[in-house]
Every structure is written in C-alpha cells, then in structure tokens.
Amino acid sequence: MIFEIAQIEIRPGTEREFEAAVAEAAPLFEGSPGCHSLKLMRSIEHPLRYRLIVGWETIEAHMVDFRQSPAFESWRALVGPFFTAPPVVEHVEEAYTGFGN
C-alpha cells in the first residue's frame, strides 16, 4: 500500500465549509477501486493548510483509476473552489512503524 499526501492551502474563513466538502466527497474515494483510507489533517501552526492522506493499493489506483474518473472531477468540483493554489501531491510508502501501530 502507498499513501498519497496532498498539501492543500485554502482561502481564509472557509475552513468549516472546506472540511464539510471533504466529508461530502469521502464516498467518491471510498467507491474508487484500490482506495483503502482517507484522512484530512489540519495544521496547527498554519490553520489554512491541510494535508489529505489517502491510502491506495498502488500508485496506478490513484493516478489512473481515480484521477481519470468522473469521481475525481466531482471531488475537484466540491473542494477546488476553496484552494488558493493547486495542491502539492506526493506518494509515500511506509518505511517504519513503531509502538505497535
């Protein structure tokens, strides 16, 4: 499994609406082949900065199956209006897990 980490910067004053839009969009990810998890994290030091962390079976599940689907278009329609810039996205794989996690 790999993880997509997307750093997202949003417009001031739209935090609650953005979080609600992500929650509304969650089924789009859940129904996508190869998607295992979805988590939205908000920065404490930079409260307009979020990180969307999505667990995918493979990079192709994200970059091909999801990104080229109508679900991706729906996702961007829901959350795109909040962005101040395009998200910065990278893929990571687990290198170490401590403390029994």
Side-chain angles (χ1 to χ4, degrees):
M1 184 157 79
I2 60 99
F3 293 92
E4 164 200 2
I5 301 177
Q7 181 171 299
I8 301 169
E9 305 276 345
I10 65 165
R11 292 182 287 109
T14 64
E15 298 89 343
R16 298 296 169 237
E17 294 89 348
F18 171 69
E19 292 170 13
V22 171
E24 183 180 342
L28 300 170
F29 287 86
E30 185 178 26
S32 186
C35 187
H36 293 278
S37 61
L38 173 71
K39 186 182 292 189
L40 182 67
M41 309 293 284
R42 184 176 180 190
S43 174
I44 294 168
E45 291 82 8
H46 305 280
L48 298 176
R49 181 178 297 156
Y50 288 82
R51 292 206 177 61
L52 182 75
I53 303 169
V54 186
W56 295 101
E57 189 68 33
T58 63
I59 289 176
E60 292 76 21
H62 172 225
M63 298 301 293
V64 177
D65 298 337
F66 183 68
R67 293 284 300 257
Q68 296 178 12
S69 74
F72 178 75
E73 292 175 24
S74 296
W75 153 253
R76 288 308 286 264
L78 284 167
V79 299
F82 299 99
F83 297 170
T84 59
V88 176
V89 178
E90 67 179 325
H91 296 94
V92 299
E93 61 187 353
E94 188 173 308
Y96 172 78
T97 299
F99 301 103
N101 295 322

